[in-house]
Structures are given as C-alpha cells and as structure tokens.
Amino acid sequence: MKKRKLLCLLCCILFCLPSCEKSNLKDIEPEVIQTANTGSETNIKKDPVSETPDLNLEEKTMKFEFLYDEEYWEQYDLSYAQFQTKEEYEKAVLNAMDAIATLYHKEGWYKQYADNKDTIYIRLTIEDSIYEGVSIPPTDYTMNSLIMRLQFTPNMFTHRSSPFAHELTHIITRNKSTGKSSFSLSLTEGICEYASNMVEGSECTNQGIDIQTFYKYYFKTAIEHNFLTQEKVNTILACVGTEGNAYPDFFPDNGGGAWILASYSFVDYLIQTYGMDAMMTIFSADDETIYYDYNPDGLAGLKADWQDFLENYVPVMSDEEINDYVTELNIHNGYTAEMESDLYTGEYSAYDINEPMLEIQKNNDGTYKIQIGIYRLIQLDDCTGLATAEGLSFSTTELGDRNISGIITLDDDIATVTFTGSGWSDYSSVMKYKYYKTSDTPDIK
C-alpha cells in the first residue's frame, strides 16, 4: 500500500502537464461569458469585487473584478472543493496576487497594461482538460478594461487542486515590453513554483514538502522504477537555467514535471545561497552572462555548486514519511486509498475488429503491465503503467529512442487510449483509440 502510493505520486508528476509561457491560452471571446450577477456597465453578467485592495500601491490605479463562464459552485458537490464559495476563491486570488507581488517586488505589475484601462476582469474557466493556464497578456475586454482568463480542471472542485498561484505568478512577473518574464523559461517556471509553494503549499510539484528533500526522493525513485533513465535526467538538468525556451524534447510528455521540479530546486538553491534580491537580478537580466556575476564559470559553475549542495543536503523527511504524507493528502483531497486503480485490470476488445487488443494487468508493486494492439498498425507488448488522478499513465521503451507514452481513461467499461508522446506521430496522426471491456481477467502473453 505504501509503496503503491509512492509510485502513484511519482507518476502524477512525471505525466503532469504544467503550463508554461510557451503554451498560452487562446484569445478570449467575451460574448460567451455566463456568470452570476448582472453588471451595470456592460451587457454581460459579472460579479464585482467590493473594496478591491490596492496591492501595496501608493495610489489605486486598477480595479480587479471577477467573471465566471458558468455557475460552478452550483454544479459541483463541494465536499472536496478547493474553495467552498466564490467569495472564498476571490479572496484567495486577490491575496495571492498581493503576496506574489510583494515577494518578487512587482507591486506595480499591472501598470504596464493600464494605458487608459481602469479594470482587470479575472475570468474563471473550468474545462475537463489536462491543461491549466493563464492568458498572457490580458486582452482587451471593453474600452476601459482588460480580461485575464484563468483555466483550471474540475479538480479545483473535486480534489482541492488548482495551481492558481503558479499561474498568477506567470502574469505578475511578465514584462510586457519583452513579451516574457525572464530570459530563461526554466527560471520562470522555477519562480512560479517557488511562489506556489509559499502561497498554496500542497498545490506545487513538491506537494508542499521541502523542495530539496523532495527533489532527491523524486529523482531517485524515478530512476529506480525506470520512469526516467539517467540519460533523460541529464537532459532535464542540461535545460535548467538556460537561456530561451529550452526544455527537454520529451516535454510536456513523460518528464515535463521533472524539468519544472528541477528548475524549482535550482531557483530555491539560488535564493538560499544569494538571497531574493540577487535572484530577481538574475531573473530580470538580459541573458545568461548574468551568471558570471555569481560564479566565474557562469551557469555551469552555479549548476555544479547546486548539485554539490544537493549531494550534501540532509533530507528533512524519510521516503516512508513522504509516502505517508502523500497518502494522507490524497485521502484528504478526495482520492480513495486505492485511487480506483483495480478498475483498469482486464481484457478489452477493439471496436474495429471486435477482438482483444488491450490487456491490463496489475503487478504486485502497484504498477501495471499493459499490452496495446492497433490492427494493422502496431503491437506494444511491454508498456509500464501507473494509476494517477487523471487515469492510467503508461510509457514504453520497446521502440528504442521514440517517446511512446500516454494515458488510459475509463468511462464505465470503455477504455480510451490517448497517445501523448512525441514519438507516436511516426506511426499515426490518430491519437485516441477506444476499446470495450470483455473480461476482468487479462490475457498477458
């Protein structure tokens, strides 16, 4: 049971799809907004925020109000909702913006968007998707206002989970004139995770656990269970702190969360070693040459020092304590102790030929052996899977260097296999395949 939970946590992060500045949300369509209370200035429905705080400015220059696509708090069972009311959510968002702006000395962040605007509307969208993010930059809404869209999954209401502080940090730290937050996307993601940990705690990649402790646990466990090879770990580390939008070529598939976790660890190390002012000086610099102000060997020297720091770092929790903590957190957030993983085991037939083409077997260590067949296209006989909140994540290395990974979801007895790894495009442009369950007993060959 404990080992199984450890594996579930590992896979949740390995296959997560954290947002980054490279994949911004689409332009907003104001006319489709449906929210609670009718506003007086426009023809849409909106929920104004009374007594909007000044966010530590000497004078108030911008108001913040909220919009909702639907009446979410009336649609969901709120037993495991992150926020019990809209008012609680709005207060949390405003407080987070205040805290993030203060933490990073960005109190006047929205002035760059002001022009003749006096209001930023914060629009909440809940979509059953693997992506979560924020619209960057805010887009024109009315003549005197902008709109900023926060998109989260239903987990905000069903499992007390939305990375709202991470996403808000993207927009608070962004420089409108350069079109980015930092010269390094890695530093940007690390800064967002650092803020998320300060504001939200368990909603960041390290689950609220001391980041350096969790980093050592995570990469050790990932390698032990073959979800990351040492080669991939080296690729991840090579992309940490680098200039531009450099990230592993297998991001955002298997390993994307690991790259963000490593970036967060590096940022935390820089803050511990040189202080927040130095961190923000690095973060706001034009290019990688800033690193030479802190180490004669530049980025390479700082990363070597960071790895030495990690090697000598004494974890504040044992692996067993981390596992117990995550188990309790999963239960608190509405996941059953077994995360309903037994439902996957069985034999499934393909709709096109009505013959068994999908076999799923649970192993003793909590992982899964999966065999996936697609008629006249491919047969994968050695996929490894782990149950996550999103579904049964799987990957395989049986096709060499090609990144073949994905997720299996269930709708009653119908299994949908969705390929997400970049290597799948070498075989087919079709990403989803459906199978129906014919037996609870798999025929693993």
Side-chain angles (χ1 to χ4, degrees), residues 147-207:
I147 189 167
M148 180 175 72
R149 177 185 175 191
L150 291 173
Q151 178 180 316
F152 302 125
T153 71
N155 284 339
M156 177 175 170
F157 291 92
T158 59
H159 296 298
R160 294 192 177 102
S161 176
S162 73
F164 72 95
H166 178 112
E167 301 307 332
L168 289 171
T169 306
H170 273 296
I171 203 163
I172 289 172
T173 60
R174 190 176 179 85
N175 186 320
K176 182 181 179 182
S177 62
T178 63
K180 55 189 178 182
S181 297
S182 173
F183 69 89
S184 169
L185 181 59
S186 170
L187 292 184
T188 299
E189 293 298 330
I191 281 286
C192 289
E193 281 299 284
Y194 187 90
S196 182
N197 186 64
M198 297 293 288
V199 174
E200 295 178 270
S202 62
E203 299 309 315
C204 46
T205 52
N206 58 310
Q207 308 287 296

Side-chain angles (χ1 to χ4, degrees), residues 57-109:
L57 288 180
E58 293 180 0
E59 60 182 70
K60 181 183 294 186
T61 59
M62 187 73 74
K63 294 184 296 182
F64 293 87
E65 300 189 9
F66 289 82
L67 301 169
Y68 301 90
D69 283 9
E70 299 178 34
E71 291 288 359
Y72 297 118
W73 277 265
E74 296 179 6
Q75 294 179 8
Y76 289 94
D77 177 356
L78 302 179
S79 299
Y80 296 101
Q82 189 175 14
F83 308 104
Q84 291 297 308
T85 64
K86 284 189 292 187
E87 292 73 21
E88 184 181 344
Y89 158 73
E90 292 171 5
K91 181 178 180 180
V93 169
L94 293 172
N95 286 342
M97 289 196 297
D98 193 11
I100 295 164
T102 301
L103 177 66
Y104 294 137
H105 312 304
K106 299 284 185 180
E107 288 86 350
W109 64 271

Side-chain angles (χ1 to χ4, degrees), residues 372-391:
I372 304 171
I374 300 174
Y375 184 58
R376 290 184 175 178
L377 180 62
I378 201 169
Q379 178 67 39
L380 302 173
D381 290 327
D382 194 24
C383 299
T384 301
L386 285 175
T388 76
E390 289 75 29

Side-chain angles (χ1 to χ4, degrees), residues 111-162:
K111 288 184 177 181
Q112 61 186 327
Y113 301 117
D115 297 325
N116 296 321
K117 313 295 186 182
D118 60 16
T119 304
I120 290 181
Y121 289 93
I122 301 171
R123 170 186 172 184
L124 177 64
T125 299
I126 301 295
E127 290 188 2
D128 192 7
S129 168
I130 56 178
Y131 294 99
E132 298 182 301
V134 62
S135 55
I136 303 174
T139 55
D140 285 340
Y141 183 34
T142 69
M143 183 178 298
N144 298 317
S145 67
L146 297 167
I147 189 167
M148 180 175 72
R149 177 185 175 191
L150 291 173
Q151 178 180 316
F152 302 125
T153 71
N155 284 339
M156 177 175 170
F157 291 92
T158 59
H159 296 298
R160 294 192 177 102
S161 176
S162 73

Side-chain angles (χ1 to χ4, degrees), residues 198-261:
M198 297 293 288
V199 174
E200 295 178 270
S202 62
E203 299 309 315
C204 46
T205 52
N206 58 310
Q207 308 287 296
I209 298 168
D210 170 68
I211 177 58
Q212 309 303 350
T213 295
F214 192 76
Y215 175 99
K216 298 185 71 166
Y217 152 83
Y218 172 79
F219 279 96
K220 178 186 69 174
T221 307
I223 292 174
E224 285 177 352
H225 293 281
N226 299 316
F227 283 94
L228 281 179
T229 63
Q230 187 60 54
E231 181 181 4
K232 281 193 172 183
V233 171
N234 293 340
T235 300
I236 289 168
L237 297 182
C239 295
V240 170
T242 54
E243 187 171 342
N245 292 344
Y247 48 77
D249 57 8
F250 45 89
F251 176 86
D253 308 309
N254 187 3
W259 167 67
I260 290 181
L261 183 69

Side-chain angles (χ1 to χ4, degrees), residues 39-59:
S40 58
E41 292 92 355
T42 66
N43 292 324
I44 63 147
K45 296 179 179 180
K46 63 182 182 181
D47 281 345
V49 177
S50 60
E51 299 182 1
T52 303
D54 295 350
L55 296 180
N56 292 338
L57 288 180
E58 293 180 0
E59 60 182 70

